[in-house]
Amino acid sequence: FVLYIGRVVESKGCRDLFDRWAKWRAREPGRRVTLVLAGHPEMPIPARDDVRHVGVVSEQEKYDALAACTALVVPEVLSSMSMVTLEAWACGRPVICDARSAVVWGMTRRARAGLAQRDAGELGEIVGMLCDDAALADRLGASGKAFVARTYTWPRIVQTYLDMFAEVRTRNAERPSTRNAERPSTRTAYSA
């Protein structure tokens, strides 16, 4: 199964996802794959045999679903950061994102941990490829897991901040101090 996690809402790309899923499945009805949606529905969900809504899930259920899925689909175009993408990679699963998403597709390319789709044909091609080639899905997922480990673990985040603070200290040490410099008088003409 392919997994979507989050609010089921148009602004998260769900309408495009549903449309592309239906168009692809109409062309390839024999493929045995299900789109599983986990999250609060804020729009109608297609009543189809190959689309299943499981509602809001616990954290444990979310991670179990991530570990079991073929891939996580992230259809949102305007995301500034996708935590669920990082969670999928931490579980060793690849991501299928929208090619119009500068942030998620950029992260996915850098991580070498998934593929991007632009239309129903590409979505179907990617889902089919990942379903048919578990080794490919596992390689992409492993690449994502390594990306998260080197980029988003607490020790790495702490080190990034320490490096940033050290750079600020170095820059400030190189500037002449103005603390002890003579300050202009604050006396006004009428004070005596």
Side-chain angles (χ1 to χ4, degrees):
F1 66 96
V2 175
L3 180 64
Y4 169 85
I5 297 176
R7 290 183 307 132
V8 181
V9 62
E10 193 163 343
S11 64
K12 298 279 188 187
C14 291
R15 183 159 322 282
D16 283 345
L17 175 61
F18 297 155
D19 290 346
R20 291 173 184 180
W21 186 267
K23 286 176 186 171
W24 164 55
R25 294 312 307 270
R27 284 183 250 159
E28 198 174 339
R31 183 169 285 280
R32 294 184 54 191
V33 62
T34 301
L35 173 62
V36 175
L37 309 161
H40 180 73
E42 297 180 23
M43 64 180 286
I45 296 171
R48 301 174 50 97
D49 290 341
D50 59 357
V51 175
R52 181 160 181 235
H53 179 240
V54 296
V56 177
V57 297
S58 69
E59 285 293 299
Q60 184 62 53
E61 290 167 327
K62 174 178 75 172
Y63 285 108
D64 289 347
L66 283 167
C69 72
T70 297
L72 175 76
V73 64
V74 182
E76 186 175 7
V77 174
L78 300 175
S79 178
S80 60
M81 174 64 166
S82 175
M83 291 302 296
V84 72
T85 296
L86 298 176
E87 291 170 334
W89 290 340
C91 291
R93 301 318 307 146
V95 167
I96 302 168
C97 65
D98 192 301
R100 298 172 298 169
S101 174
V103 174
V104 179
W105 180 219
M107 282 175 42
T108 301
R109 277 194 319 266
R110 284 192 306 282
R112 296 184 174 140
L115 300 163
Q117 50 87 20
R118 290 177 187 83
D119 57 35
E122 288 183 359
L123 175 63
E125 195 66 33
I126 292 167
V127 171
M129 194 168 41
L130 295 175
C131 287
D132 293 344
D133 189 349
L136 171 62
D138 290 344
R139 281 194 308 275
L140 291 170
S143 184
K145 191 170 194 167
F147 177 78
V148 169
R150 72 177 175 269
T151 311
Y152 290 101
T153 59
W154 273 116
R156 178 67 184 121
I157 292 169
V158 168
Q159 188 59 52
T160 299
Y161 276 102
L162 291 174
D163 292 347
M164 181 182 65
F165 294 145
E167 183 178 331
V168 169
R169 276 195 305 275
T170 301
R171 284 186 198 165
N172 287 341
E174 293 171 356
R175 292 185 196 160
S177 176
T178 58
R179 281 188 216 154
N180 297 329
E182 193 170 313
R183 293 185 182 160
S185 174
T186 57
R187 299 182 102 192
T188 59
Y190 57 86
S191 62

